[in-house]
Amino acid sequence: MNGVPQQEGRDYRREGRLLVFPKPMAREGRLGFWRWLSLFLGIAGTYRQNDSVDVVYEVGGRRLVATGLPIIGATPDQEARDHETR
């Protein structure tokens, strides 16, 4: 996550084909006109949370990488389970 290797069981868990991280994650989203203009003019930077997830895995002896995977928001049930297991 964000270029830092994560370890299953310590930093995330698997639920089927999903990787579940205990801490909230978010993408920055689209920039509005004024924010884009302030970046372009060098007036301000962008300091919003912008997480990214890349997965390195092996299939048939070949190393593959999936980059920029989608971040799916947790449902209230998943959040409740996360709090119970902490």
Side-chain angles (χ1 to χ4, degrees):
M1 179 170 71
N2 301 326
V4 178
Q6 305 290 299
Q7 181 180 0
E8 185 177 2
R10 184 187 72 191
D11 301 309
Y12 69 92
R13 69 179 187 278
R14 283 195 281 179
E15 288 186 7
R17 295 184 59 172
L18 297 177
L19 302 180
V20 180
F21 292 86
K23 40 189 164 177
M25 297 173 62
R27 294 243 188 224
E28 182 173 35
R30 295 183 60 156
L31 298 177
F33 172 77
W34 294 110
R35 188 140 180 99
W36 179 88
L37 182 62
S38 68
L39 285 167
F40 181 76
L41 297 174
I43 296 169
T46 180
Y47 303 104
R48 297 179 187 169
Q49 185 175 354
N50 190 28
D51 297 313
S52 66
V53 176
D54 303 330
V55 176
V56 178
Y57 60 101
E58 196 170 300
V59 174
R62 292 183 52 210
R63 187 175 176 183
L64 302 169
V65 180
T67 62
L69 297 174
I71 296 173
I72 303 168
T75 65
D77 292 342
Q78 288 173 324
E79 290 179 337
R81 271 187 289 153
D82 288 345
H83 288 293
E84 289 173 8
T85 59
R86 286 185 194 163

